Amino acid sequence: MNTIGHFINGEMVYDAERKQAVYNPATGQAEKEVALASVATVEEAIAKAEAAYPAWRNTPPIKRARVMFKFKELLEQNAEKICQLIGEEHGKISHDAAGELQRGIENVEYACGIPELLKGEHSKNVGPNIDSWSEFQPLGVVAGITPFNFPVMVPLWMFPMAIACGNCFVLKPSERDPSSTMFIAELLKQAGLPDGVMNVVNGDKVAVDTLLNDERIKAVSFVGSTPIAEYIYQTANANGKRCQALGGAKNHAIVMPDADMDNAVNQLLGAAFGSSGERCMALSVAVAVGDQAADALVAKMSEAMKGLKVGAYTDSSNDFGPVITGAHRDKVVGYISHAESQGANIVVDGRTPNVDGYPDGFFVGGTLIDQVTPEMTSYKEEIFGPVLQVVRVNTMQEAMDLIDAHEYGNGTCIFTRDGEAARYFSDHIQVGMVGINVPLPVPVAYHSFGGWKRSLFGDLHAYGPDAVRFYTKRKTITQRWPSAGIREGAQFSMPTMK
Ligand code: NAD
């Protein structure tokens, strides 16, 4: 069986004392296995990154940018293979994998602008013959820990910018679908990145805890579920590291009575069921304002769902694939059953889908649940499956209060034709990323990505301008040359320009 190792100092390394199966979720079979790094392997990766750091830090930003240009080209040239690797282990359909890759590439494109992004700030004559400037220096060795649901895009949120800023990187991808992540790391070597600047260790908590506890790691970017995000943030902080930890979500769409209902249904269909609902920006709750809007939404949505096709990644006519593991399928099905037992109405039931030729795959069909209330477990917790729940309220304010009361605040959206209502909503809602008739308001690469409340621990968001700040530290230098002819005696009061 093919064993996936680690990528350290430009080479594949196999430490195979502990291994874990990697499944093809469409067939339900363990087709590969991944090595779970020991403490020593992770420490070796950190040591190699640290050794590569002095030279990489001093490489001119334009040369670092050239590596990113080449890397972008290689990602594009190898798109088919990358999408296949994503499909084999994650299960998403090739058109969805291609979208993930493209969104990732856009982060590489942004990192190509690093000479401009690192320019800093300069002030002349802050005092007599005194100049002052702020520059942004890299941190050293930094780490990324990433989830299964975007094995290419989320790592690309992190390491291109970290590396472009002059840092060296140790990535710990998800152990459930590591092959596409490993492959893109190898492409960086082909792009001309010096060995040791980028390293990937596969593994589980052992690898993560080693990264969190090693004082050579200066910063940690994490994306995953909220309980782990909180643990990562608290541990990294306690160990004196900079940390950003992005967590889970429960994204609501308000459907106003004046919304273009056909458009809202179409948009919701893709945003709720695309990628089997395994997106942190998936719209999993539709909050319908007024029974008329709710009845129309449920009727049109259940009709539209008849055309949904769930199946294997190999058939690009499918709309979405399986969920990641058998255990996760059981969890999603459990949430649906729980909602039913707590009084919700299962309008479209995807608990037992029939996928021809894939009897053992981890499939869940598109599911629509009406009459969901905020006390229900399926409403409170993140399902992370192809399940859309409808909550009925009477006013827009009631809908907004509901969203604000939820522990998560990643993304949200309003469907309306009323500009004033949309403006009020986007101004006041306690959520980090807001769409107005846009169901998946994932910011483009030159903005930054981050939720509010328990969807993000830390101050700076992922990628975009915040990433430049996250992966650098500001140094401010104030300079005077005595040769300018000015000599002063000792000053004991605070220097001012009065
Ligand atoms: P996860 O939290 O189970 O795993 C994420 C990473 O943490 C993996 O690399 C995993 O190996 C590691 N990990 C897991 N348990 C750990 C532990 N006990 N100690 C240390 N490390 C541990 O998340 P997942 O299931 O891979 O991904 C799905 C979750 O990620 C969802 O909750 C989703 O909303 C979230 N997510 C959030 C965003 C965002 O931007 N906010 C983006 C994508 C996914």
Side-chain angles (χ1 to χ4, degrees):
M1 193 181 276
N2 179 3
T3 301
I4 305 153
H6 318 286
F7 183 69
I8 298 175
N9 204 31
E11 284 175 11
M12 294 302 295
V13 172
Y14 297 90
D15 89 353
E17 269 169 42
R18 292 189 307 132
K19 292 185 211 163
Q20 181 173 314
V22 175
Y23 286 84
N24 178 335
T27 63
Q29 303 305 314
E31 294 183 359
K32 303 175 198 167
E33 53 190 9
V34 61
L36 303 176
S38 63
V39 171
T41 301
V42 179
E43 286 180 346
E44 174 69 2
I46 299 170
K48 295 299 185 203
E50 201 179 46
Y53 177 60
W56 185 244
R57 173 195 193 278
N58 289 329
T59 301
I62 190 72
K63 290 197 172 178
R64 302 201 296 249
R66 282 183 195 137
V67 174
M68 289 301 149
F69 272 111
K70 186 70 194 158
F71 181 46
K72 166 193 149 65
E73 274 177 20
L74 288 169
L75 288 169
E76 287 167 346
Q77 285 163 13
N78 288 279
E80 207 175 310
K81 172 153 188 200
I82 295 168
C83 292
Q84 189 190 329
L85 289 171
I86 295 175
E88 279 171 15
E89 295 175 14
H90 175 283
K92 68 176 77 170
I93 312 300
S94 55
H95 49 78
D96 188 24
E100 153 165 16
L101 174 61
Q102 178 55 29
R103 276 301 188 106
I105 287 173
E106 289 168 15
N107 288 279
V108 181
E109 289 169 339
Y110 186 64
C112 288
I114 200 66
E116 177 69 21
L117 295 168
L118 283 184
K119 262 175 162 173
E121 300 157 354
H122 188 272
S123 300
K124 193 167 176 172
N125 285 333
V126 295
N129 285 302
I130 301 177
D131 303 328
S132 187
W133 71 91
S134 297
E135 58 189 40
F136 299 96
Q137 299 196 345
L139 306 175
V141 181
V142 299
I145 300 155
T146 51
F148 80 84
N149 66 325
F150 286 106
V152 165
M153 182 184 79
V154 170
L156 288 175
W157 286 1
M158 300 175 181
F159 69 77
M161 184 53 81
I163 287 173
C165 285
N167 301 285
C168 293
F169 207 87
V170 181
L171 176 68
K172 208 301 283 170
S174 172
E175 63 276 39
R176 288 184 261 177
D177 52 4
S179 290
S180 56
T181 325
M182 292 298 283
F183 181 65
I184 63 170
E186 290 181 77
L187 291 182
L188 261 180
K189 184 179 165 93
Q190 279 184 47
L193 191 75
D195 290 346
V197 176
M198 174 69 186
N199 307 276
V200 186
V201 288
N202 281 305
D204 52 10
K205 187 171 165 55
V206 171
V208 171
D209 285 346
T210 307
L211 292 168
L212 291 176
N213 290 317
D214 194 304
E215 61 179 29
R216 293 169 294 179
I217 298 288
K218 301 302 176 202
V220 178
S221 295
F222 172 88
V223 176
S225 59
T226 285
I228 309 298
E230 191 167 31
Y231 164 74
I232 300 276
Y233 186 71
Q234 287 173 351
T235 313
N237 269 347
N239 291 341
K241 300 182 198 312
R242 184 177 289 188
C243 184
Q244 54 181 183
L246 283 70
K250 194 81 176 177
N251 306 311
H252 300 65
I254 299 184
V255 181
M256 295 288 281
D258 69 348
D260 174 339
M261 197 57 81
D262 290 325
N263 179 55
V265 167
N266 258 331
Q267 302 296 316
L268 272 167
L269 198 64
F273 305 116
S275 216
S276 320
E278 290 176 324
R279 291 180 181 141
C280 68
M281 289 292 275
L283 276 180
S284 52
V285 182
V287 190
V289 178
D291 273 333
Q292 218 179 335
D295 291 343
L297 174 69
V298 171
K300 283 176 183 279
M301 181 56 78
S302 46
E303 189 56 34
M305 286 173 68
K306 289 183 184 155
L308 277 182
K309 259 187 89 186
V310 54
Y313 75 95
T314 40
D315 179 353
S316 60
S317 73
N318 286 328
D319 295 307
F320 61 92
V323 298
I324 187 71
T325 57
H328 189 56
R329 178 204 42 215
D330 296 346
K331 197 171 161 191
V332 173
V333 166
Y335 277 121
I336 302 168
S337 301
H338 216 89
E340 188 174 39
S341 69
Q342 289 184 313
N345 175 17
I346 314 295
V347 182
V348 181
D349 190 343
R351 280 175 286 191
T352 50
N354 188 13
V355 179
D356 275 350
Y358 294 90
D360 300 321
F362 309 137
F363 295 98
V364 183
T367 298
L368 179 65
I369 314 181
D370 192 9
Q371 308 284 358
V372 171
T373 58
E375 304 75 38
M376 294 180 182
T377 316
S378 64
Y379 175 79
K380 286 196 247 175
E381 297 178 12
E382 183 182 41
I383 298 179
F384 227 52
V387 181
L388 177 64
Q389 305 190 85
V390 178
V391 180
R392 294 168 176 245
V393 298
N394 293 317
T395 64
M396 175 172 145
Q397 192 57 53
E398 218 183 303
M400 287 179 64
D401 291 346
L402 189 73
I403 296 171
D404 287 348
H406 206 284
E407 69 168 311
Y408 297 122
N410 217 36
T412 188
C413 168
I414 187 166
F415 290 104
T416 182
R417 289 185 167 99
D418 181 344
E420 241 177 308
R423 188 170 188 274
Y424 180 83
F425 171 74
S426 65
D427 192 19
H428 290 91
I429 200 75
Q430 297 299 302
V431 172
M433 293 170 283
V434 179
I436 297 168
N437 299 312
V438 171
L440 284 183
V442 178
V444 290
Y446 38 98
H447 286 257
S448 294
F449 180 109
W452 287 9
K453 298 187 276 182
R454 288 174 61 76
S455 291
L456 185 145
F457 302 87
D459 302 308
L460 290 168
H461 288 192
Y463 68 77
D466 273 17
V468 184
R469 291 290 173 268
F470 185 79
Y471 293 121
T472 57
K473 53 189 169 192
R474 174 188 291 260
K475 182 178 277 180
T476 304
I477 297 133
T478 305
Q479 167 181 276
R480 174 170 64 196
W481 297 103
S483 56
I486 296 175
R487 294 248 185 278
E488 284 174 356
Q491 275 194 31
F492 294 95
S493 53
M494 190 67 190
T496 69
M497 274 303 295
K498 204 160 178 205

